[in-house]
Amino acid sequence: MTAPNTRVTDEPTAPDVDLHLPSQRRQSWRAQGPIVAVVAIGGTIGATARYGASLVWPVAAGGFPWTTLWVNAAGCAVIGVFTVLITDVWAAHRLVRPFFATGILGGFTTFSTYAVDIQKLVQGGHPRTGLAYLAATLCAALAAVWLAATTTRRMVAWRQR
């Protein structure tokens, strides 16, 4: 009888991979390394674009954070279009999705700034504005991704007829 596997890992691994073996650690890094690299590069691009938007359209203290709301809604719309295109229209290279969706759009859209904006509004004596922003961003993001994906699916179906 064998002892139960009491090894606890923080990362999910395939059942046939033993990261205690150096050769399998190298194989794992070879497979994941390019993905990590393209996500990092894409994230840098996306975060830089978001920072640029905040410089172009600054928000006054206590004011409604329109820039972050529109950035998040626009990013959600693009992810809606992108997801339909790479799943329904063409097979993309394995690094396209991590680079564009996780990297660029993940860096461009921002939950952390959204949360900090709400916190600043509430602590600054504008709880109603913070609550309105919380709800508006959620509704705008969900509506944007749904509308973009639905519209793209219809356009793709129309072109394929």
Side-chain angles (χ1 to χ4, degrees):
M1 190 154 139
T2 60
N5 184 0
T6 58
R7 181 179 64 171
V8 176
T9 60
D10 293 331
E11 298 180 36
T13 58
D16 60 338
V17 174
D18 184 359
L19 294 178
H20 289 99
L21 299 174
S23 63
Q24 291 192 4
R25 275 197 308 268
R26 280 190 299 276
Q27 283 179 326
S28 178
W29 177 248
R30 278 191 206 116
Q32 297 300 316
I35 295 170
V36 171
V38 298
V39 168
I41 293 165
T44 301
I45 294 166
T48 301
R50 176 178 26 92
Y51 178 69
S54 72
L55 293 177
V56 172
W57 299 292
V59 175
F64 194 88
W66 288 106
T67 303
T68 304
L69 184 142
W70 291 118
V71 160
N72 285 337
C76 286
V78 174
I79 196 73
V81 171
F82 177 74
T83 301
V84 170
L85 292 178
I86 69 165
T87 57
D88 295 357
V89 177
W90 74 82
H93 185 275
R94 72 180 189 95
L95 296 178
V96 171
R97 181 181 277 174
F99 172 72
F100 190 72
T102 306
I104 291 178
L105 293 174
F108 183 65
T109 58
T110 171
F111 180 77
S112 59
T113 301
Y114 168 62
V116 168
D117 287 344
I118 294 167
Q119 181 184 19
K120 284 181 181 178
L121 287 167
V122 171
Q123 288 178 346
H126 305 283
R128 287 186 189 136
T129 304
L131 187 59
Y133 173 57
L134 184 141
T137 299
L138 178 63
C139 291
L142 290 173
V145 74
W146 177 81
L147 186 62
T150 301
T151 303
T152 304
R153 252 189 215 101
R154 287 183 180 166
M155 290 175 63
V156 166
W158 177 76
R159 290 194 74 199
Q160 291 176 345
R161 288 185 198 169

